[in-house]
Amino acid sequence: MKSLDELKAIRDKMKGQVDIREEGSDATRVVVGMATCGIAAGARPVLTAFSNAVQERDLKNVAVVQTGCIGLCMYEPIVEVYKADGEKTTYVKVKPEMVEEVIMGCVLQGALGQNVARQMSLDAGLPIEVPALTINKVCGSGL
């Protein structure tokens, strides 16, 4: 560390990581099981991947938290996504490379007003005139 500005930048970065763990009543919660069995199965990199993804996307109404034993050791790492309306989706045997799919398929569609297909098409460089359609694979009522 060479300057006060550098120290402030580190503080701001760490504050952002702490803020994603704070919960609000309208927040979508991503809960990662971090008991001994979960950690042994690889839950720590999964928690880090979720924290990083939420922070990179600047998702203010998403809280990434950890919990103890969920009770299903053979399925660890386990991630539960609680939407603001109370709906819960459970993912088992989660790997860090699966985090983006969970964020795009469940978290961003969880009452956050996101059009995932539009976001992805624009990120891919497609013109705004190209139509985009999101199909909710969590709920069969969209079919």
Side-chain angles (χ1 to χ4, degrees):
M1 195 166 4
K2 298 179 183 177
S3 70
L4 185 57
D5 289 334
E6 195 174 344
L7 179 61
K8 287 179 182 177
I10 293 170
R11 181 194 66 193
D12 292 342
K13 179 181 177 190
M14 297 313 293
K15 185 177 181 325
Q17 289 177 352
V18 171
D19 286 346
I20 62 173
R21 293 183 181 166
E22 294 178 4
E23 299 177 40
S25 60
D26 63 342
T28 296
R29 291 185 310 131
V30 178
V31 180
V32 181
M34 290 288 288
T36 305
C37 56
I39 293 170
R44 190 170 310 281
V46 171
L47 177 67
T48 301
F50 272 108
S51 296
N52 290 343
V54 167
Q55 188 173 9
E56 288 168 7
R57 289 182 180 356
D58 196 28
L59 300 175
K60 298 293 185 196
N61 51 351
V62 177
V64 178
V65 297
Q66 62 186 38
T67 190
C69 180
I70 295 178
L72 299 167
C73 298
M74 67 183 135
Y75 297 113
E76 293 285 357
I78 297 174
V79 174
E80 297 177 326
V81 178
Y82 293 88
K83 296 181 182 177
D85 64 4
E87 181 182 334
K88 177 180 83 168
T89 305
T90 302
Y91 295 89
V92 298
K93 298 186 178 184
V94 178
K95 296 175 179 59
E97 52 271 10
M98 298 165 67
V99 167
E100 284 299 316
E101 183 174 343
V102 174
I103 294 284
M104 296 304 289
C106 187
V107 174
L108 287 182
Q109 292 186 38
L112 298 180
Q114 303 290 326
N115 182 339
V116 177
R118 170 62 61 207
Q119 291 179 354
M120 297 308 295
S121 64
L122 294 175
D123 285 347
L126 295 174
I128 191 83
E129 297 81 20
V130 174
L133 173 67
T134 298
I135 298 176
N136 186 342
K137 70 179 191 177
V138 176
C139 175
S141 67
L143 298 177

